[in-house]
């Protein structure tokens, strides 16, 4: 099992889906969607606008975290060698986990009348995503049509881990063991773009047919 560097990613997924409950479902719980629909914008466009807000939230979450780390490093008198490369890797992680949260968002939108069930799904999805993203079976698979490529946790790990500091015997051994299964940036974001397009379309269609 590999657990380094994945805790903050699970927070992104939980944060994104929590915002979905507020942005998309509370309008149904409070019967305020009819007020929003007085604006001449279609429901699919409204849904995609909310997904765009979640996208920006994911980027901002990682960006703020990175800048806080930079401030701590500078305050400690250390030299932030290679910071900006890792900063943009962090931004990429935020984008990938936003895309990875979309299947859970779809389930939440489908069950928008059941707040408790939505919370349970969010908790379960976050836990499963964390487990899969730190399990050797999933992260040690070649790029292709398999769980290690299609699931957000393993895909994200196989992309960002190659940029981490590998000093130390344990990290060096881990790097040697999983490096054959790393994915390139074009490969990782090709999967992200395709999966995002599919789930955004489904979310827009479901939202269009619901009163929430």
């Amino acid at each position: 099992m590999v657990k380094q560097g994945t805790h903050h990613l699970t927070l992104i997924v939980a944060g994104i889906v929590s915002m979905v409950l507020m942005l998309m479902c509370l309008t149904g719980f409070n019967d305020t969607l009819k007020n929003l629909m007085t604006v001449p914008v279609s429901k699919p466009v409204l849904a995609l606008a909310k997904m765009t807000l979640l996208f920006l939230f994911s980027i901002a979450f990682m960006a703020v975290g990175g800048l806080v780390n930079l401030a701590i490093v500078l305050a400690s008198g250390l030299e932030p060698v290679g910071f900006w490369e890792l900063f943009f890797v962090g931004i990429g992680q935020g984008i990938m986990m936003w895309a990875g949260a979309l299947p859970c968002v779809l389930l939440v939108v489908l069950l928008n009348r059941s707040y408790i069930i939505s919370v349970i799904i969010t908790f379960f999805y976050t836990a499963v995503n964390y487990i899969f993203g730190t399990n050797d079976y999933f992260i040690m698979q070649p790029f292709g049509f398999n769980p290690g490529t299609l699931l957000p946790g393993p895909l994200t790990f196989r992309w960002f881990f190659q940029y981490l500091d590998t000093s130390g015997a344990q990290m060096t051994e881990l790097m040697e063991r999983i490096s054959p299964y790393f994915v390139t940036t074009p490969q990782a974001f090709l999967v992200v773009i395709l999966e995002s397009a599919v789930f955004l379309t489904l979310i827009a269609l479901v939202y269009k047919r619901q009163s929430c």
Side-chain angles (χ1 to χ4, degrees), residues 31-48:
D31 195 27
T32 58
L33 181 61
K34 58 185 179 182
N35 296 328
L36 290 175
M37 295 313 299
T38 59
V39 180
V41 176
S42 65
K43 292 179 70 176
V45 172
L46 182 61
L48 293 178

Side-chain angles (χ1 to χ4, degrees), residues 166-176:
T166 58
S167 59
Q170 184 178 5
M171 289 290 286
T172 300
E173 186 276 332
L174 177 61
M175 179 69 73
E176 293 176 350

